């Protein structure tokens, strides 16, 4: 994909360059930049760098460029190459095998060394626990080790190997292309995930199913239940407790309830349910208010609330009284009978129709994806599909079918084609 600069009513192409010609080195320049912004090569998956140039195993003479962990407790091997990433897939597979038995205490030791090397003063164990949102008790990584390969170019042999490995259903390998462009004295990077394509719906399905299985397999004592949440005609599957609360609070504020009223209802969290500051603020502005303190709040732009001239951020820290708080917020809403949640269940049926992926879970919940993204509201899309498939959207009494009943009819119609 070429880059262009808009100049008046024309487009000026920005020539593709190479890291070598720009004098950029693999470790000193590229790796350092990616280390500071790991999210650039891990789109859609929260990831934390644990160690750099990691090679703490017997007889090893090579090192992992970046050892990371994602928010599903999967260890992640990141391999970077300046130009073409020949054979980096095999190298990364060896590394993944080597760290597959890593224990939490070993990860803490590696992260402690990394923090010292980068001049950070955080407590290593606490930093990892806060990222994984496991405040106490044992921490166990999953058996899956994810791999991210980042390079300017990938050979056909490598991409074929990665596609085949991913197809086996037991690997999660991503290829991210980083292509440099020089503009005056600046270097612009065009970063694109090329394998698997972000819009690949089947890949998103695999990630979600794996996430559910991993949650069930955790050997910790904490309650890690995830929930399928329905608010009116909106269905949100597989949410952790903190995002269940975010969804309910977002709906409450949309209906006009104030943060102060919500604090009154969830009285035991009155002091820390929200933090706020006048004007429009981002995470940096909030952090400046609490120097040296690790803030555990939702700071993404679409997760904060701008109300009456102030910005509010909701707490991410939820423990044993989460469902009690959720129930209290639910009963403040205009139609609490239209709000529900239940533990996420496995996928029972999945069908594809004209670019849509329609799933029915064991709980009878219906969810729809298109181009790898959840479709909301589900009922509206089901009605469109029902019209195309000549499926009745009302029962014999003339009442409209709910999401579960209509979804089951749509799936049956697709299967009968």
């Amino acid at each position: 994909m070429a880059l262009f600069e808009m100049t008046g009513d024309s487009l000026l192409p920005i020539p593709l360059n190479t890291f070598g010609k720009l004098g950029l080195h693999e470790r000193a320049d590229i790796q350092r930049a990616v280390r500071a912004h790991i999210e650039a090569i891990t789109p859609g998956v929260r990831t934390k760098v644990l160690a750099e140039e990691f090679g703490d195993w017997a007889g090893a003479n090579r090192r992992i460029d970046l050892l990371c962990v994602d928010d599903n407790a999967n260890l992640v091997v990141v391999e970077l190459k300046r130009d073409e990433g020949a054979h980096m897939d095999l190298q990364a597979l060896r590394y993944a095998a080597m760290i597959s038995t890593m224990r939490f205490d070993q990860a803490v030791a590696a992260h402690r060394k990394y923090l010292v090397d980068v001049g950070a003063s955080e407590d290593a164990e606490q930093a990892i626990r806060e990222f994984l949102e496991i405040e106490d008790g044992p921490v166990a990584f999953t058996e899956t080790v994810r791999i991210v390969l980042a390079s300017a170019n990938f050979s056909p042999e490598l991409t074929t190997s990665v596609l085949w490995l991913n197809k086996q259903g037991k690997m999660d390998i991503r290829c991210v292309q980083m292509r440099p462009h020089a503009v005056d004295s600046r270097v612009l990077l065009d970063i694109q995930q090329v394998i698997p394509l972000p819009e690949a719906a089947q890949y998103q399905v695999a990630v979600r199913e794996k996430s559910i299985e991993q949650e069930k397999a955790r050997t910790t004592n904490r309650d890690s239940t995830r929930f399928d949440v329905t608010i009116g005609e909106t269905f949100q599957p597989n949410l952790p407790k903190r995002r269940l609360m975010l969804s309910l609070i977002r709906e409450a504020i949309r209906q006009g309830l104030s943060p102060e009223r919500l604090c009154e209802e969830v009285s035991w969290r009155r002091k820390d349910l929200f933090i706020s500051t006048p004007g429009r603020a981002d995470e940096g502005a909030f952090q400046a208010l609490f120097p040296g303190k690790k803030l555990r709040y939702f700071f993404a732009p679409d997760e904060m609330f701008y109300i009456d001239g102030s910005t509010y951020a909701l707490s991410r820290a939820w423990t044993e009284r989460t469902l009690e708080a959720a129930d209290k917020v639910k009963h403040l809403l205009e139609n609490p009978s239209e709000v529900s949640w239940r533990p996420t269940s496995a996928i029972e049926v999945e069908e594809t129709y004209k670019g849509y992926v329609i799933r029915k879970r064991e709980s009878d919940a219906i969810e729809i994806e298109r181009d790898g993204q959840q479709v909301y509201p589900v009922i509206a899309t089901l009605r469109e599909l029902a019209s195309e498939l000549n499926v009745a959207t009302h029962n014999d009494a003339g009442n409209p079918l709910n999401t579960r009943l209509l979804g089951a009819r749509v799936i049956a119609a697709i299967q009968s084609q």
Side-chain angles (χ1 to χ4, degrees), residues 307-323:
I307 305 170
D308 296 334
S310 293
T311 302
Y312 291 79
L314 177 69
S315 174
R316 291 174 58 93
W318 292 93
T319 54
E320 67 279 355
R321 298 185 71 179
T322 306
L323 297 185

Side-chain angles (χ1 to χ4, degrees), residues 128-199:
I128 300 174
R129 285 184 176 276
E130 287 183 353
F131 175 78
L132 295 175
E133 299 190 346
I134 303 175
E135 295 185 359
D136 50 34
V139 177
F141 298 118
T142 71
E143 294 183 358
T144 298
V145 178
R146 296 178 52 247
I147 294 173
V148 177
L149 308 176
S151 177
N153 293 290
F154 296 99
S155 67
E157 292 87 352
L158 185 146
T159 55
T160 300
S161 298
V162 169
L163 288 168
W164 182 81
L165 286 167
N166 281 343
K167 188 177 180 181
Q168 306 313 302
K170 296 182 180 180
M171 300 297 300
D172 183 350
I173 308 176
R174 300 187 180 197
C175 292
V176 179
Q177 190 171 55
M178 304 183 299
R179 308 181 76 184
H181 299 260
V183 180
D184 298 327
S185 60
R186 297 175 298 156
V187 176
L188 305 183
L189 281 189
D190 178 15
I191 300 179
Q192 302 283 341
Q193 181 175 301
V194 293
I195 297 179
L197 293 175
E199 62 269 22

